[in-house]
Each structure stands twice: as C-alpha cells, then as structure tokens.
Amino acid sequence: MAEQFKIGLISGDGIGPEVMIEALKVLSAVSDMSGVKFEVVPFEVGAQHYLKTGEILGDDVLREIKTTDAILLGAVGDPQVPPGLLERELLLRLRFELDLYLNLRPIRLFAGVESPLRNTNDIDFIVCREGTEGLYAGKGSIQQGGTTDEVAIEESVNTYKGIERIIRYAFELASVRKQQLTLIHKTNVLTRAGGLWQRIFTQVGGQYPNVSMQYFHVDAAAMFFVTKPEIFDVVVTDNLFGDILTDLGAAITGGIGLAASGNINPERTTPSMFEPIHGSAPDIAGQQLADPTAAILSVKMMLEHLGLHQEASWVEQAVATDLLSRTMPRNTSAIGNAIVQGLKGRDSAY
Ligand code: IPM
Ligand code: MN
C-alpha cells in the first residue's frame, strides 16, 4: 500500500496563506512523483477565526491537530489582534502542548544567493534552538501596573531535563555532521541559567569525545555570525537567544524569505510543526510579494522528518536550482510554479 501521511495545515495570517498555497503545490508534485499520499487537513485558526469567534485554539481543535503526522504553518500575527495574543495562544501554545522542544533552523547560503556579507566563505550551519522554556515560558509578573512605579518581571525557566535533551540532540546532530558543537549563552551575566547550561554541556560532551566543543557569549556570537560565520557548524542555544540569532542567520544567507524551520519533537510522540522563520508581514499580505521559498524549504524539512529523504532532497535540489537562476523579481506564485516545474523536470528525466 502507498505510504500515507496526514498533514495539518495552519495557513494563518498575513502572507501565511499565499506562501502555503505554493508549499502545497510542491507537496502535491512530490506526491505525484513518489506515490506517497498526503491528506491535507486545514485548521481554521488564526486572526480571522479569532475575530469571528473569540476563540484562538480550542481544545477540540488541539485534539484533532494531535492526530496528524505533521503540521505545516504559514505565519501568525495580525494588527487587528493585540500583540502577543496569537503568538502566545496559538504558536507558542502549540510548541508547548506538543512538546516541540527542538526548534531546528538551518543557516545556509545557497549558491547564487547574495549575502549582505562581503566575505561569504561557506555559510552552512544549523541552530538547535530550545523551544519550550527560557523567557518564553510566560512566567513573570507586573507590580504597580499602569503607574510610574510599575515593575514588569519576565522570568526565564531553565530545567535540567529541558536543557539536557536539547543539548543531547545537538551532540547527536554534531556527530553526524562536522563533529563540532557551539553553545551560545550569556554565562557571564545570567549566571544561574548559564551555569546550568554550561554544566550540562560539559557533562553531556564527556559522552561525545569526538565532538569538539566551543562556547561563546551571545553578544560575541552575534558578531561572529557576521564576521566569521564559517566557525559554526551545529549551534545549541536557549529560546530567546535562538530566536534573535536565527533572524540574523537568515539575514546573512539571503533573508527571511528563504529561511525554513522545524519545531520538532524528536521522540515523535506528537506531530512536529514546520514553518518559515518569517512572520505574517501584514504590510505586504495579499499582494503576491512574499517569497514562498522559506515555506517550501519547510516542506522539505517536514519530508525529512517523515523519513522521506529522497523526496526531501528532490525539493531541496529544485529550490537550489531555482535560486541559481534567479534574475528578475517574480511574484509568489511564479516562484512556486518554477520550483514545481523544476521538480517535474527531474521527474521526466528519470
Ligand atoms: C519565530 C517567531 C516567534 C518566536 C514569534 C512569532 C512568537 O519570531 O518563530 O521565530 O519568537 O518564536
Ligand atoms: Mn523569531
């Protein structure tokens, strides 16, 4: 029997729907070529659904989402909704509820893509951003709210188990790449959290004698992303540092229009969720101006996660070929169509 996967689709807000249309074209081409079936189940969650119903992510919807094999998400966030609401109650809630503790973000400069950096030796590394803890955990308080004595406190949650599992994953990944792992933190100031990250890094590292380890404070690391990105292979870091650094990583490799990511549960007890790093960009929504490449590369990451390695490499090659031949600006669907054509061209060649 042909393999079949149930894919949850959250197109979301802003440019989300238009980039997801292109991502689905690619998925359907992959299905035609491989015989693998993808049952795409759309979930109407996001700004429009919230404005209509007042509900962000109902328990029944969450339950249904949990029955999928993987989720594709476009983008969430809308100026008509108070800032942070959809982000926290939809995107972060999904990351937390599904225990997607590995936020995997490749930082790779494809041939033919212009980087704003002048010296772009090979940029090809991958960030393992912790996805369920840190400053994202939502702990904190406001005292004397609304007064000039207001104090806003955001607390960073760092658990031994939460750190250990992401660091272990990063060492495993480093073992099958270039045997080099970088921890990024701010141990000189955030001594409690930093001390724990550092200690676990050293402990787990003892079990991977073949992996060379380096550490940078996040400020220095930000500088090295720009001045010598070639010193990184696998990077492991906490939730907020990873958020900031991966936008920088996207910027040095052609922009967020190209940057994909996976919110992954490595134990596969829940569906993992794949999404472009970019946001909903309401200012350009509905105008076919968004680059769907990040969404398409997110499909590639999803295929890999589902064990469809050959199919993933087809998509990657079709994207790589398209990136090499980009000259004129094209609209969203023109880019999607070109990548699909590239895939199909490969199909007929075999
Ligand atoms: C990202 C985004 C999210 C994050 C926002 C939208 C909550 O910036 O996926 O990087 O901060 O994780
Ligand atoms: Mn971000």
Side-chain angles (χ1 to χ4, degrees):
M1 219 181 71
E3 260 184 302
Q4 175 152 349
F5 296 95
K6 182 168 164 186
I7 308 300
L9 175 68
I10 300 177
S11 293
D13 312 314
I15 59 172
E18 43 197 306
V19 297
M20 286 330 271
I21 286 174
E22 305 312 316
L24 291 183
K25 283 184 195 166
V26 167
L27 193 62
S28 127
V30 166
S31 174
D32 292 346
M33 290 163 63
S34 62
V36 177
K37 297 265 181 290
F38 301 100
E39 182 202 347
V40 176
V41 184
F43 291 98
E44 298 304 328
V45 288
Q48 289 320 312
H49 177 75
Y50 170 70
L51 292 170
K52 248 187 292 166
T53 66
E55 180 187 77
I56 296 187
L57 180 63
D59 289 342
D60 44 338
V61 178
L62 182 60
R63 216 169 305 125
E64 182 67 23
I65 288 176
K66 284 183 177 165
T67 69
T68 63
D69 294 304
I71 303 154
L72 281 174
L73 183 140
V76 297
D78 187 293
Q80 290 165 273
V81 177
L85 196 61
L86 291 166
E87 290 84 345
R88 286 216 77 85
E89 298 304 319
L90 182 56
L91 182 57
L92 298 185
R93 178 141 181 249
L94 282 171
R95 286 183 189 162
F96 295 163
E97 294 268 1
L98 301 175
D99 202 20
L100 307 176
Y101 66 83
L102 168 65
N103 190 187
L104 197 58
R105 300 191 152 180
I107 308 294
R108 171 173 169 205
L109 182 64
F110 280 90
V113 175
E114 213 182 308
S115 167
L117 305 184
R118 241 182 321 148
N119 298 321
T120 53
N121 305 318
D122 246 0
I123 306 180
D124 186 4
F125 60 96
I126 188 157
V127 175
C128 302
R129 166 191 176 193
E130 202 289 321
T132 55
E133 301 194 336
L135 278 161
Y136 279 66
K139 289 254 186 289
S141 61
I142 291 193
Q143 292 156 16
Q144 324 274 2
T147 74
T148 53
D149 289 322
E150 179 161 345
V151 181
I153 300 174
E154 303 276 0
E155 291 171 331
S156 174
V157 176
N158 298 263
T159 67
Y160 185 97
K161 290 196 175 87
I163 299 169
E164 204 263 353
R165 62 186 185 172
I166 184 83
I167 284 185
R168 188 168 295 281
Y169 181 93
F171 271 106
E172 288 291 326
L173 184 59
S175 312
V176 297
R177 284 182 54 116
K178 294 188 192 147
Q179 286 89 43
Q180 196 244 56
L181 179 62
T182 307
L183 170 67
I184 297 176
H185 208 280
K186 184 75 183 176
T187 55
N188 54 344
V189 175
L190 308 178
T191 50
R192 300 181 192 89
L196 188 55
W197 275 83
Q198 183 69 259
R199 198 166 80 233
I200 297 171
F201 185 58
T202 307
Q203 266 170 17
V204 177
Q207 297 162 27
Y208 294 86
N210 297 330
V211 176
S212 71
M213 297 152 64
Q214 62 183 349
Y215 168 80
F216 296 116
H217 295 319
V218 64
D219 47 353
M223 180 174 66
F224 294 144
F225 266 42
V226 172
T227 56
K228 30 182 190 174
E230 67 282 358
I231 67 170
F232 299 105
D233 185 43
V234 180
V235 168
V236 65
T237 191
D238 87 349
N239 210 337
L240 185 62
F241 296 147
D243 177 48
I244 299 166
L245 287 172
T246 52
D247 265 32
L248 179 56
I252 60 171
T253 51
I256 43 176
L258 304 182
S261 83
N263 301 277
I264 296 172
N265 175 274
E267 286 76 36
R268 294 160 193 273
T269 51
T270 54
S272 293
M273 179 166 74
F274 298 84
E275 55 162 341
I277 288 186
H278 65 65
S280 58
D283 49 323
I284 60 161
Q287 299 171 53
Q288 285 283 307
L289 290 172
D291 189 333
T293 307
I296 292 169
L297 284 172
S298 302
V299 168
K300 179 237 151 191
M301 290 184 78
M302 179 185 81
L303 293 170
E304 219 147 64
H305 181 75
L306 294 173
L308 301 169
H309 300 290
Q310 166 126 72
E311 289 78 357
S313 84
W314 290 343
V315 174
E316 181 172 61
Q317 279 171 37
V319 168
T321 307
D322 183 67
L323 287 169
L324 257 183
S325 63
R326 286 188 183 189
T327 45
M328 308 268 279
R330 288 169 303 173
N331 71 19
T332 308
S333 70
I335 296 175
N337 291 343
I339 293 172
V340 167
Q341 279 316 310
L343 267 170
K344 294 219 165 119
R346 135 170 234 111
D347 196 21
S348 57
Y350 284 84

